Amino acid sequence: MAIVETRHLTKVFKQGELGAVNDVSLATEEGEFLVFLGPSGSGKTTLLRMIAGLETPTSGEIRIGGRVVNDLTPRERRIAMVFQSYALYPHLTVYKNIAFPLKAQGIPRAEHRKKVEWAAGLLGIGRLLDRKPRELSGGERQRVALARAIVREPEVFLLDEPLSNLDAKLRASAREELERFHESVRTTTIYVTHDQVEAMAMGDRIVVMNFGEVRQIGTPAEVYDEPADTFVATFLGSPPMNLVERDDLIVGFRPEHFFPVAVLAGRAAVPEHLRAHDREGPYVPIGLRVTHEEYLGSERVVYGALDGGPFDGKKVISRMPSTLVARYEPGTVHAFAVTERHLKLYDRATGKRTAGRPPREVWR
Amino acid sequence: MRPAAAPGDPGQGRFLGVAMFAPAVLYILLLIAVPFGLAVLYAFSDARIGSTSFHLVGLENFRSILQSPSFRKALRNSIVFTLVAQAIVIVCSNILSIALEKPFRGRGFVRFLILLPWVAPVSLGTIGWKWILDSIYSVITWVLVALHLVKPFNTPMWLGEPHLAMASVILVHCWRLIPFSTVIMLAGRSAISKEIPEAAAIDGAGFWRTTFQINLPMMTPILSVAVLFGIIFTFTDMTVVYILTAGGPYDSTQTLPSLAFATGIAGSDLAAGAAISLFLVPVLVLVAYGMLRLAHRAEVV
């Protein structure tokens, strides 16, 4: 096991163009599950490929276990990687696929069977060893790819969107399996994804990236509850954080913190968990003119525009549990509110979080 | 369900189909089926150029060519020549395809240059080689003399000594077939997903292991197609031999096609010539069958 560290890592593909990865400095912790999260083109895969040794950095340093590995080949870095397409060797059986890294690293043939069976057993694919990859389902292929990665007992695991080729149902169970797998082997893992649900569910910490830059590193709760800038605020959360601007400030609040005022004032029949959580603290009352409403079963999403006050006419979204019984006809105006501590302030020029003024003042 | 035919008037659609199809059928019938049928017929007859007598003689022609030493020599030459040329072609085109796979400055131009020998007419190219290998004016000899590697008064006769002549014929064939084989290999190589060699690199495989245990096995189907074409092109080609050496010296470069030509056309014995060229057919059918099976099996991994 090892710590992976990058220092001012930059990758420029074409001279004169903006880097695919720009000056990224970060470090994993021992045995951590670190997620690189970002939209496509954010540089997360390029960053991972540089750590793997498949791309050469333009500048900067990569360290694995304290050793600078910039000039080492992938094999010398003692890492394992699972590719998005799994990249199984189609002409080899599952057994030979899993044994390939052992063979390539010159481990005596006598030990192969034991190790392959151990890895296959860990992932529950022991009965598939004689099959060829094309005879396997997507989920089974993914497990073979994982087994091939684990069999050499690497210091670091690199996973490049390993679940994106699975269908939605399988993805949820594969995710849980991966989590348990990491729990049992505790190898430092870097996981690349564009799926925020995967990132939130699996990551010990999340590195949010955009345009080749790290926008925020933190635990899922940190990046979700205290986004460092407007990109993180809108990239995480579905629907994303409401952002309304005024002068040099942007005010953000999450749809699930934007409630009918009656709920916050404790006047409505409110589900217990909401009452305990959200009645604390002073709130800012805000009028909402409803445009339409979506009923999603467990929750309802109300779309509308702010009514009155300094942010009149700005489009916002409210999300509330469908246990709150209420009707929101298009065109009607309702008294909504946000607890003050859930209002986040951002600088309009840089998009970065600012301490700013007390929210009550901003709203006046 | 019948496609194409217009409702209410099925006849017109059928006519158009036949009309579109006819040129291909005519081409195959006139230029392939008829000559082939004639060759079969001649092989079992006593047809000769300049004679009107025509009798069927059964397997007589085959019996006599099998007993002829020059036929056996030509058969052996054909096999040696095909196998050696193919081996060289496969190795060289593989190396070339590896070199040409990664992008570099001017790759398109280099690819074009490599393809040139395939595009040029065989006879023209071979005439060029005949000059290059000439007994008096050979540039190769000139360079070797200039480098003091051979003595000026005792230069190698590239086309005049049995072993050198065979080597020269093989060399020219390689020159001609490598481009084609390289293009096929490049296609096979680019069909391998980029992530697979990358996975092999991560798994710790070096260049040789990746080449021989990952890339080449994955290329088997297309590789066997390249070999099949190569074997058929080499085995049935007579242009190179005919222009370079005309089978000489002392029949040392005679192959089955050139012997068939020498016997049947130049030597007027149509029947024997046809029998010699027909001898190739079952051999090639077997080779083709074997290669296609191999390709199929490799594909259905």
Side-chain angles (χ1 to χ4, degrees):
Chain A
M1 264 177 264
I3 288 176
V4 177
E5 200 181 344
T6 70
R7 293 187 183 172
H8 306 290
L9 200 61
T10 297
K11 173 75 185 179
V12 181
F13 279 109
K14 255 191 196 147
Q15 205 140 42
E17 267 181 24
L18 212 64
V21 171
N22 274 319
D23 196 29
V24 169
S25 300
L26 53 82
T28 67
E29 276 161 28
E30 194 75 53
E32 185 180 31
F33 198 108
L34 187 70
V35 178
F36 292 172
L37 175 68
S40 53
S42 60
K44 54 193 191 302
T45 295
T46 307
L47 182 57
L48 187 80
R49 289 170 58 86
M50 283 195 280
I51 294 170
L54 296 171
E55 301 284 353
T56 320
T58 310
S59 63
E61 218 175 66
I62 305 162
R63 287 162 180 268
I64 296 178
R67 170 173 75 132
V68 179
V69 297
N70 282 41
D71 297 325
L72 299 187
T73 59
R75 83 188 271 182
E76 293 163 329
R77 297 185 186 199
R78 300 194 25 84
I79 45 142
M81 182 161 167
V82 175
F83 290 81
Q84 187 172 357
S85 66
Y86 313 139
L88 299 179
Y89 309 124
H91 58 293
L92 300 179
T93 60
V94 168
Y95 178 88
K96 286 185 174 166
N97 260 283
I98 300 175
F100 187 81
L102 303 176
K103 237 163 78 179
Q105 287 171 358
I107 290 166
R109 189 169 284 273
E111 293 173 35
H112 288 190
R113 181 150 285 278
K114 213 179 76 203
K115 282 180 185 271
V116 169
E117 273 165 6
W118 164 75
L122 205 60
L123 287 145
I125 49 170
R127 70 205 155 75
L128 303 177
L129 288 178
D130 295 326
R131 302 239 195 122
K132 291 275 177 73
R134 63 174 200 98
E135 298 166 317
L136 305 178
S137 71
E140 289 166 343
R141 281 179 210 189
Q142 195 239 352
R143 272 178 249 176
V144 175
L146 269 174
R148 187 176 69 181
I150 186 73
V151 73
R152 77 199 84 166
E153 298 169 64
E155 296 192 340
V156 179
F157 264 131
L158 306 176
L159 307 173
D160 185 10
E161 309 216 11
L163 303 185
S164 63
N165 284 347
L166 302 180
D167 59 55
K169 205 169 171 188
L170 204 53
R171 203 176 306 168
S173 66
R175 193 174 78 205
E176 197 201 323
E177 236 166 68
L178 256 179
E179 278 173 83
R180 255 188 294 142
F181 175 68
H182 178 251
E183 210 59 44
S184 62
V185 296
R186 276 277 149 210
T187 304
T188 307
T189 302
I190 300 181
Y191 184 101
V192 165
T193 182
H194 62 262
D195 183 335
Q196 50 168 310
V197 179
E198 274 174 30
M200 300 288 288
M202 304 168 81
D204 289 328
R205 284 189 306 154
I206 299 176
V207 178
V208 187
M209 296 186 66
N210 194 32
F211 293 125
E213 277 166 9
V214 171
R215 308 305 283 262
Q216 187 172 3
I217 303 179
T219 63
E222 280 166 2
V223 291
Y224 189 83
D225 294 336
E226 307 292 337
D229 61 18
T230 51
F231 170 77
V232 180
T234 49
F235 188 70
L236 284 165
S238 159
M241 186 181 265
N242 293 308
L243 294 177
V244 294
E245 66 236 35
R246 176 191 184 186
D247 306 327
D248 59 338
L249 277 183
I250 296 174
V251 181
F253 50 95
R254 293 237 171 248
E256 63 267 34
H257 296 140
F258 185 46
F259 277 122
V261 74
V263 175
L264 294 180
R267 289 199 303 270
V270 175
E272 194 56 38
H273 67 280
L274 273 178
R275 203 178 307 170
H277 184 249
D278 258 319
R279 269 177 61 201
E280 41 181 299
Y283 57 85
V284 180
I286 304 167
L288 175 73
R289 182 181 301 278
V290 176
T291 49
H292 72 283
E293 178 198 23
E294 282 170 356
Y295 177 76
L296 300 176
S298 68
E299 58 185 34
R300 67 177 78 223
V301 179
V302 181
Y303 296 81
L306 294 181
D307 188 69
F311 300 102
D312 185 44
K314 297 280 194 300
K315 289 206 166 66
V316 290
I317 300 169
S318 163
R319 197 176 105 191
M320 59 191 93
S322 51
T323 42
L324 275 178
V325 185
R327 289 184 63 80
Y328 297 96
E329 299 289 344
T332 54
V333 177
H334 298 264
F336 270 55
V338 181
T339 315
E340 274 182 23
R341 65 187 183 91
H342 285 137
L343 288 170
K344 318 289 178 200
L345 299 185
Y346 298 94
D347 185 274
R348 196 169 169 182
T350 62
K352 300 261 181 250
R353 188 85 183 267
T354 62
R357 289 153 272 179
R360 191 169 282 276
E361 246 171 65
V362 178
W363 218 269
R364 193 162 292 140
Chain B
M1 201 176 86
R2 250 211 339 259
D9 187 8
Q12 193 176 354
R14 203 175 299 147
F15 173 76
L16 188 67
V18 170
M20 302 294 266
F21 201 62
V25 173
L26 277 180
Y27 172 84
I28 292 175
L29 275 181
L30 288 181
L31 294 177
I32 296 173
V34 171
F36 185 75
L38 271 182
V40 174
L41 190 63
Y42 286 161
F44 294 98
S45 75
D46 62 351
R48 293 182 63 83
I49 291 178
S51 147
T52 51
S53 82
F54 184 89
H55 304 96
L56 288 179
V57 295
L59 291 170
E60 184 52 42
N61 287 319
F62 291 96
R63 194 176 307 133
S64 79
I65 59 166
L66 275 175
Q67 280 163 1
S68 126
S70 62
F71 173 81
R72 286 206 294 263
K73 190 163 192 182
L75 181 61
R76 206 189 57 219
N77 281 345
S78 274
I79 291 170
V80 168
F81 160 66
T82 304
L83 292 184
V84 174
Q86 264 321 294
I88 297 175
V89 165
I90 291 298
V91 172
C92 291
S93 61
N94 228 315
I95 295 172
L96 270 177
S97 73
I98 293 173
L100 288 175
E101 193 195 9
K102 296 226 170 64
F104 57 86
R105 239 178 137 74
R107 180 175 67 160
F109 185 65
V110 175
R111 278 188 180 184
F112 166 75
L113 282 185
I114 284 178
L115 205 56
L116 267 185
W118 179 253
V119 182
V122 203
S123 44
L124 270 185
T126 313
I127 289 172
W129 277 103
K130 197 176 162 72
W131 288 335
I132 294 174
L133 299 168
D134 191 271
S135 56
I136 298 170
Y137 305 110
S138 166
V139 289
I140 300 178
T141 309
W142 186 84
V143 169
L144 290 178
V145 169
L147 291 173
H148 298 286
L149 287 173
V150 298
K151 297 198 171 71
F153 46 82
N154 184 20
T155 56
M157 305 280 280
W158 299 113
L159 301 173
E161 291 160 31
H163 287 294
L164 279 181
M166 193 62 179
S168 299
V169 170
I170 289 174
L171 172 85
V172 174
H173 246 285
C174 292
W175 168 82
R176 180 174 146 59
L177 283 178
I178 283 173
F180 175 71
S181 185
T182 306
V183 169
I184 291 189
M185 298 255 197
L186 265 176
R189 214 164 263 285
S190 48
I192 299 176
S193 142
K194 226 183 91 223
E195 288 192 338
I196 288 189
E198 282 180 355
I202 299 257
D203 285 345
F207 172 79
W208 298 109
R209 190 181 293 274
T210 310
T211 300
F212 284 102
Q213 291 182 8
I214 304 293
N215 285 343
L216 282 182
M218 285 184 70
M219 284 164 65
T220 312
I222 205 146
L223 207 72
S224 49
V225 170
V227 172
L228 173 60
F229 271 81
I231 287 181
I232 290 176
F233 278 133
T234 342
F235 211 83
T236 59
D237 182 87
M238 65 158 285
T239 322
V240 172
V241 171
Y242 183 70
I243 292 178
L244 273 190
T245 63
Y250 333 113
D251 272 357
S252 62
T253 59
Q254 198 72 275
T255 59
L256 286 186
S258 66
L259 182 69
F261 181 81
T263 315
I265 310 294
S268 314
D269 192 348
L270 269 185
I276 292 171
S277 53
L278 270 194
F279 194 85
L280 298 173
V281 175
V283 179
L284 293 180
V285 165
L286 271 183
V287 171
Y289 176 75
M291 293 314 258
L292 289 178
R293 257 186 75 100
L294 179 67
H296 181 70
R297 194 169 331 142
E299 219 163 290
V300 190
V301 279

